[in-house]
Amino acid sequence: MKYRMRKKSLFTLFLFFYLNVLGFAEIGWWSDETTHIFQTGSTYQSQTSFLPYSFSVQSQYVFDKNQFKLKNGINIGKDAFDFFIKANYTPSIYPGVYFGITETAHIFVYNDSFTDIDIFSGFIFLLNLPKYFSFETDFNYFTKTSFIKSISSPLSSTGVACSMLFSLKIPALMDFHLRLASYSDFYYMLFFSPVFSLGIDVHLSEIMSFCADFSVRYTDFLTLSAHFDSFEARTFVRVKI
């Protein structure tokens, strides 16, 4: 009962804050412009992680209407796979400034041994100067449910998750990204196991880019036992239509 009351109170506080921000802004609710983004590539990660594989293949699709973005992807490795779907709705409260809500669902399946299901709900803020710079941050409340074959009842836990993404843009050439987060598209740990990422997008044409990013992960970061968990390198090709 206490858990349900805390969850309801947190959601009410978020909703109150969101509606008050929108109440004092000139809102751009929707855009007619649509972009489709496809990307595919491969990932390598060190064996120090809890994940059961070193190499995996990833594919993602993004439906982007400026204020509304729907993103989903699949990651396939040895004896395991992930799938996630994420929706952001961020009305523009000022030219180049967006604030809204974000929802994410993720599932990780390892052989027939266990399954993890993660559900995120939160708020997202975006500052975008299209030719030069962008900053994005989100804060989420989430639940993790684990189904383990050797245990009859599922295990559940709750927590918070957040991320910050800085992007520096060199028009028609490349973008640089720096991200600090407690999760990534296919990596969902309890708070606070941070992921530090550095990425680059090289624009081969107006619609195609070659992309790479490099990440390091830590566990128990806010305690004296903080230690390095894993290293990850991704390369992929992105196409915008």
Side-chain angles (χ1 to χ4, degrees), residues 25-139:
E26 295 183 5
I27 309 301
W29 295 103
W30 199 257
S31 173
D32 293 330
E33 181 181 355
T34 302
T35 302
H36 302 276
I37 304 172
F38 303 87
Q39 69 180 49
T40 187
S42 61
T43 299
Y44 166 79
Q45 55 191 344
S46 62
Q47 289 284 0
T48 56
S49 172
F50 77 96
L51 295 174
Y53 51 79
S54 295
F55 291 94
S56 62
V57 176
Q58 299 179 358
S59 293
Q60 295 187 28
Y61 165 70
V62 181
F63 175 84
D64 188 350
K65 288 189 71 69
N66 198 19
Q67 287 91 345
F68 176 75
K69 182 182 292 185
L70 181 65
K71 180 180 181 181
N72 66 80
I74 188 169
N75 178 59
I76 302 174
K78 182 180 179 181
D79 298 325
F81 75 90
D82 296 72
F83 173 81
F84 82 93
I85 184 167
K86 182 173 185 175
N88 295 342
Y89 181 57
T90 52
S92 58
I93 59 178
Y94 191 79
V97 181
Y98 303 83
F99 180 76
I101 54 177
T102 177
E103 297 284 339
T104 304
H106 166 256
I107 182 171
F108 172 72
V109 178
Y110 174 50
N111 209 340
D112 60 350
S113 300
F114 72 89
T115 299
D116 270 351
I117 298 177
D118 304 290
I119 304 295
F120 280 42
S121 298
F123 285 86
I124 183 170
F125 172 81
L126 173 64
L127 172 63
N128 186 29
L129 303 177
K131 293 184 178 180
Y132 306 104
F133 172 81
S134 68
F135 168 73
E136 180 180 313
T137 186
D138 62 64
F139 184 85

Side-chain angles (χ1 to χ4, degrees), residues 71 84 86 88 102-104 106 118 120-124 136-142 144 160-165 179-197 215 217-218 232:
K71 180 180 181 181
F84 82 93
K86 182 173 185 175
N88 295 342
T102 177
E103 297 284 339
T104 304
H106 166 256
D118 304 290
F120 280 42
S121 298
F123 285 86
I124 183 170
E136 180 180 313
T137 186
D138 62 64
F139 184 85
N140 303 271
Y141 178 83
F142 86 95
K144 176 183 285 288
V160 295
C162 58
S163 72
M164 292 185 294
L165 174 65
R179 187 172 189 259
L180 168 61
S182 61
Y183 71 97
S184 59
D185 289 339
F186 300 104
Y187 185 81
Y188 297 79
M189 300 292 286
L190 296 177
F191 192 83
F192 186 65
S193 299
V195 181
F196 300 90
S197 301
S215 304
R217 300 166 176 160
Y218 288 85
E232 180 183 273

